Amino acid sequence: MSHDLTPKARAEGLAVLAATGWGAVAGRDAIRKVLRFASFSEAFGFMARVALAAEQMNHHPEWSNIYNTVDITLSTHDCGGLSVLDLDLAARIDAMAGSARVLTDGPGIETLR
């Protein structure tokens, strides 16, 4: 199955994601979002929910967790960049993030174009 994005679908999808705090990754065809939760427990619970959704989709994020902060990067390695899977997983992540605060001033986070 092809996961390629048409230019129109890419532009529309990235516009929606930019409005929720996703940013471009410098030097890669990938998107990134950094979320801060109220506690480690909330961050870990969020990661468990995302892991279950990602496994169901057979599409897994690159991510890290330090205490209450989760740093997520999405890109589809099979096609060498963003795909429909990334947009779909990003939307699921947004739905699961709850009241987490989006950090937009970290190193390597750029505005989506």
Side-chain angles (χ1 to χ4, degrees):
M1 175 170 118
S2 174
H3 303 298
D4 293 340
L5 286 169
T6 65
K8 180 181 178 186
R10 179 187 179 93
E12 290 172 355
L14 291 180
V16 169
L17 294 176
T20 68
W22 288 92
V25 176
R28 289 183 64 188
D29 188 22
I31 55 176
R32 178 179 179 214
K33 189 170 194 173
V34 181
L35 297 165
R36 179 160 294 151
F37 293 84
S39 66
F40 172 76
S41 180
E42 282 188 26
F44 193 83
F46 163 78
M47 291 180 74
R49 291 187 298 279
V50 172
L52 292 172
E55 185 66 17
Q56 186 178 52
M57 295 173 68
N58 194 30
H59 187 59
H60 305 92
E62 300 170 25
W63 58 3
S64 64
N65 163 244
I66 299 174
Y67 183 59
N68 63 342
T69 302
V70 180
D71 188 336
I72 308 162
T73 297
L74 299 178
S75 184
T76 301
H77 301 282
D78 291 346
C79 72
L82 288 176
S83 78
V84 140
L85 289 172
D86 301 302
L87 301 185
D88 291 348
L89 184 54
R92 287 186 182 201
I93 287 168
D94 285 347
M96 289 184 244
S99 62
R101 185 169 67 107
V102 178
L103 304 181
T104 58
D105 57 354
I109 300 173
E110 298 180 358
T111 302
L112 280 172
R113 294 177 185 82

